[in-house]
Amino acid sequence: MSGGWIAITDPEGKEWDLFCNGFRNQYDFAFNGDGEIVTYDSDMEWDTGMPWYRPTRINHATSGAEFGWRHGSGKMPPYYADTLPSIVDVGPGSPTGVVSGAGAKFPAKYQRAIYAMDWTYGTMYALHLKPSGSTYEAEKEEFLSGVPLNLSDMVVGPKDGALYFAVGGRNTQSALYRVIYEGDESTAPADLANKDGADLRALRHSLEAFHGKEDKSAVETAWPQLGHEDRNIRFAARIAVEWQPVATWQDKALAETNPRAAIEALIALARHGDKALAPKVYAALEKVGFGDLDEMGQLALIRAYGLATIRLGKPDAATAAAIAERFAPFYPNASPRLNRELCSLFVAIGDPGVVAKTVPMMALEVAADAPRYNEALLKRNQGYGSAFGSVNESNPQGQQIHYAYALREATAGWTPALRKEFFGWFPRARNFKGGASFDGFIENIRKESLAKVPDAERGELDKLSQAPAPKAQDLTGARIINIGAKAGLLFDVTEVEAKAGEDVAIIFKNNDPSGLMHNLAIAKPGSLAQVIKDAIALGADGPARHFIPDTGDILHATPIVVPNASFTLRFNAPDQPGDYVIVCTYPGHGQLMNAVLRVK
């Protein structure tokens, strides 16, 4: 369930209307110069290091907004179409007071700012809001800090225009401070309202007027805005429609042809429609062209499928197979976010191909997969900052963790070899560090995964999964060969060497500035043309095989390596000297993207 929410009530507290929700723990909020609500929401520091960790963040709280916070792994990412994102992520902290700079005898920039307090690290931020469509983007400025400075609340003095703030709590010394401006800039009252974006904010407000009530004109008014380019306007329009009787708009949702509007309408129908509509919803989703959408549109479409599965019921076998076939060519994907959502969707519909595609990707490493936290900030509170510091040091691989989390529910497509590879990941994961819940989350994934293993295999895999953590990237004794990618479908080397029978570790980093996906295969001398031909012949089965044909020509290979990730391919060099082929077998790449492994 959601932790925090904002409601509208009367002075006596007799009437309550929910305004927005999906916060963890927002203590305070303020109105900016446009009369919009801005708040500072808490993180759950115990989750740090996990793919669902969300930093403290500044939210523009609008009518009907859902910001997606849930307990544990249930948090919804900010790119979900049925949530709204922050206007700026702050980082580790414990939010307390929020206040507008209105009335302060400060320069105009700071009168327009929203001030937010972090108790843990003794930091006050000035947030400078810039209109962005019908909402805002925020620039975060560290306004003041101290060690210790346990900021608890603040107010602008109504007479002197100073900013007063209090500190204290948890057995720390209480105090009251005053901030005044000394300088040459004018401190005369500034115009706080933003002209930019006023028309779009007005449009959003007109849609929000339908929230919380039935109105015969709501569907007619809101429907054209379901396809608006502004995300917050689309969201407000959908909430307006959702408040109307489903029978008045379900046929419009099923018949909508505008891709963006159709996705929003079908999300609404998945959230409120009868389960009997499931076949029609899946059929309508099928009509939305995935390849014609940008990344956010693709994520929204996948979310619509996910919501239909959750709310209306898992599709029947034929429909599930059609969905899997539809999205198979797009997985793996160059986008980490699409990989996460496609993986989860495939598992949800029981696609037997997801395991073979995904398990090899659990060995891909990203140099900065977890957020990097400000070391100077963390030093302001060594106790709270230690967990975030350990994340900086160990760089837990959030993408790998997400795959493990998703695959724990997969029941189809496993082989003994894939299970061994999957459970062999858990010892490596013990090198990752995070918040107080981190180890428990990993252990829960391990136990829930084991519960679905056949009895005959469980004991061996249980033992494998509890093996001691290996030394991170222990390549002792190996000849290390680094290979990267360049623009123009090229490796960054043309030739590398190894001795016959030698222990070799090729670290292939996909740093292609073009953002394309690649793999790397080692093949027999003289086999380049045949390997390329065999890879093309895989056709629609290519993605499931990571475009590695099962022939005797290929000796060793990586899985598909997504942009900015790396894979370490370790093997013994062939005993027979010769010029072996290094090639990317991704379709259309191998003719140019090849090199030589010279074995002497």
Side-chain angles (χ1 to χ4, degrees):
M1 61 177 291
S2 175
W5 39 269
I6 295 174
I8 299 172
T9 187
D10 58 275
E12 291 77 28
K14 294 180 180 179
E15 300 290 336
W16 290 78
D17 289 312
L18 184 65
F19 181 71
C20 63
N21 76 334
F23 302 102
R24 192 237 163 171
N25 194 10
Q26 77 298 5
Y27 272 98
D28 200 358
F29 66 77
F31 292 95
N32 75 346
D34 300 320
E36 303 279 347
I37 297 175
V38 180
T39 189
Y40 182 22
D41 192 24
S42 302
D43 63 350
M44 167 39 82
E45 66 275 9
W46 289 14
D47 291 357
T48 184
M50 300 306 292
W52 50 81
Y53 170 73
R54 294 150 48 116
T56 69
R57 53 198 206 143
I58 304 299
N59 293 108
H60 173 202
T62 57
S63 173
E66 163 64 78
F67 293 105
W69 193 89
R70 301 293 188 270
H71 289 281
S73 60
K75 299 172 185 65
M76 294 184 280
Y79 54 77
Y80 272 6
D82 53 327
T83 67
L84 289 175
S86 68
I87 57 174
V88 68
D89 287 347
V90 175
S94 295
T96 50
V98 180
V99 74
S100 166
K105 288 189 176 179
F106 291 171
K109 176 181 178 179
Y110 293 93
Q111 293 180 47
R112 297 188 181 102
I114 299 291
Y115 296 86
M117 310 176 88
D118 165 23
W119 185 92
T120 298
Y121 299 100
T123 306
M124 183 188 297
Y125 298 99
L127 303 155
H128 306 290
L129 274 58
K130 178 182 178 181
S132 177
S134 70
T135 182
Y136 304 90
E137 296 174 351
E139 176 189 349
K140 177 186 69 174
E141 175 190 355
E142 188 172 303
F143 188 69
L144 59 85
S145 65
V147 181
L149 193 69
N150 302 106
L151 297 157
S152 56
D153 206 357
M154 58 183 157
V155 67
V156 174
K159 293 185 177 180
D160 63 0
L163 178 62
Y164 291 85
F165 66 90
V167 301
R170 296 193 180 181
N171 300 315
T172 61
Q173 179 63 50
S174 297
L176 179 66
Y177 291 86
R178 182 179 67 162
V179 180
I180 61 174
Y181 172 71
E182 293 183 352
D184 298 329
E185 291 189 49
S186 172
T187 59
D191 182 2
L192 305 182
N194 290 286
K195 294 181 181 179
D196 292 345
D199 54 342
L200 291 175
R201 291 193 298 274
L203 173 57
R204 174 170 53 79
H205 293 158
S206 71
L207 297 167
E208 292 170 350
F210 295 112
H211 294 180
K213 62 183 180 183
E214 290 187 20
D215 189 309
K216 292 182 178 179
S217 64
V219 173
E220 181 181 358
T221 303
W223 203 268
Q225 308 308 331
L226 290 175
H228 200 284
E229 64 181 0
D230 184 277
R231 178 175 177 177
N232 284 61
I233 289 174
R234 293 197 304 273
F235 193 100
R238 177 175 55 78
I239 297 298
V241 169
E242 289 183 3
W243 271 98
Q244 312 314 311
V246 177
T248 65
W249 54 267
Q250 69 181 33
D251 290 342
K252 286 177 67 68
L254 295 169
E256 180 58 57
T257 57
N258 177 284
R260 183 175 273 163
I263 293 170
E264 293 289 339
L266 292 169
I267 284 175
L269 198 53
R271 283 162 50 89
H272 294 277
D274 189 275
K275 290 185 177 182
L277 290 171
K280 292 183 178 180
V281 170
Y282 288 122
L285 288 170
E286 179 71 21
K287 297 175 183 177
V288 181
F290 187 75
D292 297 330
L293 300 168
D294 61 14
E295 184 187 6
M296 285 301 294
Q298 292 175 336
L299 289 165
L301 180 59
I302 298 168
R303 176 59 175 166
Y305 272 102
L307 283 168
T309 302
I310 294 167
R311 300 290 189 98
L312 303 180
K314 184 177 177 180
D316 60 37
T319 303
I323 295 171
E325 183 179 2
R326 178 186 189 189
F327 290 116
F330 301 99
Y331 183 72
N333 199 282
S335 162
R337 299 189 298 185
L338 283 171
N339 278 334
R340 289 191 185 194
E341 299 312 312
L342 286 169
C343 178
S344 296
L345 177 62
F346 287 136
V347 171
I349 63 175
D351 172 36
V354 66
V355 174
K357 285 186 177 183
T358 306
V359 169
M361 292 197 292
M362 293 174 64
L364 299 182
E365 295 187 358
V366 179
D369 201 30
R372 292 291 301 178
Y373 300 110
N374 186 314
E375 296 284 357
L377 178 76
L378 300 182
K379 289 178 181 178
R380 295 174 189 171
N381 192 317
Q382 298 284 357
Y384 280 92
S386 60
F388 295 95
S390 69
V391 170
N392 281 352
E393 293 173 2
S394 71
N395 186 27
Q397 296 290 302
Q399 196 76 358
Q400 294 181 17
I401 295 170
H402 176 85
Y403 293 144
Y405 174 76
L407 291 181
R408 86 194 195 286
E409 293 290 342
T411 56
W414 290 100
T415 65
L418 285 170
R419 280 203 171 96
K420 186 174 181 180
E421 189 175 353
F422 175 80
F423 285 99
W425 172 84
F426 287 93
R428 301 200 305 272
R430 292 194 180 90
N431 286 314
F432 305 152
K433 302 299 178 186
S437 295
F438 185 89
D439 292 341
F441 281 132
I442 297 295
E443 179 63 7
N444 287 344
I445 295 171
R446 188 188 75 86
K447 287 182 176 178
E448 291 181 23
S449 301
L450 271 173
K452 293 180 174 60
V453 170
D455 293 344
E457 299 178 51
R458 189 173 298 131
E460 179 185 356
L461 295 174
D462 187 12
K463 183 177 180 180
L464 173 64
S465 65
Q466 296 193 75
K471 291 182 179 179
Q473 198 73 355
D474 185 2
L475 301 177
T476 303
R479 176 190 287 267
I480 299 174
I481 299 173
N482 289 287
I483 298 179
K486 300 193 300 184
L489 298 178
L490 297 170
F491 289 121
D492 62 2
V493 299
T494 56
E495 180 181 315
V496 295
E497 294 184 354
K499 296 178 181 178
E502 186 177 18
D503 183 6
V504 175
I506 292 180
I507 303 176
F508 175 48
K509 182 177 181 180
N510 183 0
N511 55 351
D512 185 344
S514 305
L516 299 174
M517 295 192 293
H518 301 294
N519 64 9
L520 181 151
I522 307 297
K524 291 180 179 178
S527 65
L528 176 62
Q530 187 62 46
V531 166
I532 293 173
K533 181 179 178 181
D534 291 340
I536 293 172
L538 289 173
D541 292 333
R545 307 269 294 272
H546 290 261
F547 298 104
I548 302 298
D550 186 15
T551 68
D553 286 327
I554 292 182
L555 305 178
H556 309 282
T558 74
I560 292 172
V561 181
V562 298
N564 303 312
S566 64
F567 184 93
T568 300
L569 183 65
R570 192 165 186 178
F571 59 94
N572 289 326
D575 293 330
Q576 186 69 33
D579 287 351
Y580 290 79
V581 175
I582 302 174
V583 59
C584 171
T585 64
Y586 200 89
H589 294 194
Q591 289 87 347
L592 295 174
M593 201 167 186
N594 58 77
V596 172
L597 170 62
R598 181 154 293 155
V599 177
K600 297 183 176 181

